[in-house]
Structures are given as C-alpha cells and as structure tokens.
Amino acid sequence: MAEQLRLMAVHAHPDDESSKGAATTAKYVAEGVDVLVVTCTGGERGSVLNPKLDRPDVWANIAEIRRAEMDAARTILGVEQAWLGFVDSGLPEGDPLPPLPEGCFALQDVEVAAGPLVRLMREFRPHVVTTYDEEGGYPHPDHIMCHKVSVAAFEAAGDPERYPELGEPWQPLKLYYDIGFSKAKIMALHEAMLAAGLESPYEEWLTRWEDRPDKGPRITTRVECAEYFPVRDDALRAHATQVDPDGFWFHVPMELQQRAWPTEDYQLVRSMVDSPLPESDLFAGVRETADAS
C-alpha cells in the first residue's frame, strides 16, 4: 500500500491558517491527505478587527476566545491542529517602534524555539511543510520568527545528532513558502472587478505596490483549489474577533475570485525529491516516493 501523505502548515497566529493557504489545505484534506496546522502563538495580542466584538468582555477573555475560534476553524477545514505554546508578540507601532514585550515569541532563541516544532515534525512525520518567507509574508515579528523556526526545524528534524531527546529523526521532503499575493494576482482581481462594473478594493493597494517588490517571480507552484475558496472563507469567518465579515476580504464576489485567480501559490525552497518546475501539486515527486514505500 502507498504511504499516507502528510502535510504540515506552520502559522504564527490563530486565523493565519484560514487567511493563508486554507483552500489548499481543505483540498488536500478532501483528497485524503493528513493535514496538521501548527499555531506558534495564541494570538493574545492581536487586534479585534470586528467592530461588533470590540467590547470589554471580549478583551477580558481574548485568549480563551481565540482558542475557541481556532477550534471552529479547524473543524471547518477538517485539519488537525497543534499549539506550540508561545506568547504573541503583538505588532509594534510608532516612531520609534517600542520594544517587544518580554518573553514573547519573536524574542525567543531560534534554536530553543525550534525544539517543539522538531518534536512535532518527528511525531507527525510530514512529507511537505509550508510556512512564510523570510519577510514573514508581511513584516510582523511573529511571522518572521515563524519563518525562522520553521526553516530551522525542517533542517534539524532529520538529523539524529540534533535534538536527540525529541524523538526518532524524520526528514520532510519539501519546504514551501506561501506567496499569498503577487502583483499579477491583485491586478487580475482588480481588472475582473472593474469588468464586472464593480468598485475594486485593490485600487489603493496597486498604487502602493509601485514601491514594493513583487514576489510573483518567486512562485514555483500553483495549486488549483478554487472549489475550496468558500471553505476558506467560512474558516476565516470563524475567527470572528479577527475578521470583519463586512470588510475588505469579502468584497470580491466568490465566483469572480474563482474565475480570475483559481490557485493558491507557493515557492518551493527545499526539496529532497525530483520535481520539475513549475508544479501544480505540493506533493509532486513525493507521491512517487510514497507509492514506492
């Protein structure tokens, strides 16, 4: 029998698993792949972005509420989920930026912080790992730290001389960075909105893009998953404190999104298997290895 395929998606906060790569994970779950979402922090310092829930009683119980929201999103996506147990760093604002809170995730030693993730990799034994790029997808301290810890754990998990107390070595075969937005994607959605006679929410974004690098050329892998965009949005709405249901993310009609850009996109950065680029499957090259085992 072919070996069961396993995917690990490492994220910084509860809600990130629903806003980044969620349709991909839902697709693979539907295909019978075991998917484990790893959440590095509890999201304790995240903003309450739903104005209907910006209330003292919510803030007083924010840690418990974020865990309950994660439980709901996990059920919708059909994934397994594990907490690494680190404390949210918050997003510093101001000029100059204030120091990060003592003991937060972003201030941990990378070698030490990678340990719990190494343990999970050796227990779950993923074939494929997804995480953020070196900028964290966007420069939140926890996202950048998530990148550092994910790469460190990927490199260490298969080495019997590193973290020997954390279980039998297991080497994941592929590591990807999630490329959530490229200029081509934003332009495609923007033009589709205008063609439909609708006001585009991307006008200002495209104006600002002139001063930002485009990560589009880094994309190696496009996963067709438009069928699962509604599942993604349902999971995102489950994070009710994190997302305004009347906000930016939901302005583009679903059928337009599915038609204009039907993929979620990734950059392959490590591979232990032969998989010619470009790809359309995170398990390209892995399936053959698993079938032979």
Side-chain angles (χ1 to χ4, degrees), residues 165-247:
E165 73 283 6
L166 298 182
E168 290 295 317
W170 172 264
Q171 180 58 62
L173 297 177
K174 299 175 87 173
L175 175 67
Y176 288 92
Y177 295 160
D178 178 273
I179 306 294
F181 291 99
S182 61
K183 188 171 184 179
K185 177 178 180 178
I186 298 305
M187 184 64 73
L189 292 168
H190 172 71
E191 291 179 347
M193 288 288 282
L194 296 181
L198 301 171
E199 183 179 355
S200 170
Y202 298 109
E203 188 82 48
E204 184 181 350
W205 198 338
L206 285 168
T207 300
R208 294 200 311 266
W209 204 293
E210 295 177 3
D211 301 321
R212 297 173 56 189
D214 178 19
K215 295 182 181 180
R218 297 173 60 166
I219 294 170
T220 62
T221 311
R222 302 181 188 275
V223 179
E224 292 266 358
C225 53
E227 177 184 351
Y228 299 94
F229 287 0
V231 180
R232 173 203 66 193
D233 284 6
D234 286 346
L236 193 54
R237 278 187 285 264
H239 291 281
T241 60
Q242 303 271 52
V243 178
D244 181 354
D246 302 315

Side-chain angles (χ1 to χ4, degrees), residues 141-165:
D142 286 336
H143 285 242
I144 294 170
M145 187 63 167
C146 179
H147 158 80
K148 292 178 180 178
V149 167
S150 299
V151 173
F154 183 93
E155 300 293 352
D159 187 344
E161 296 185 2
R162 300 188 64 190
Y163 306 94
E165 73 283 6

Side-chain angles (χ1 to χ4, degrees), residues 38-55:
V38 179
T39 312
C40 294
T41 79
E44 304 90 346
R45 291 191 171 99
S47 301
V48 173
L49 298 176
N50 184 347
K52 298 181 182 68
L53 295 176
D54 191 1
R55 308 188 309 255

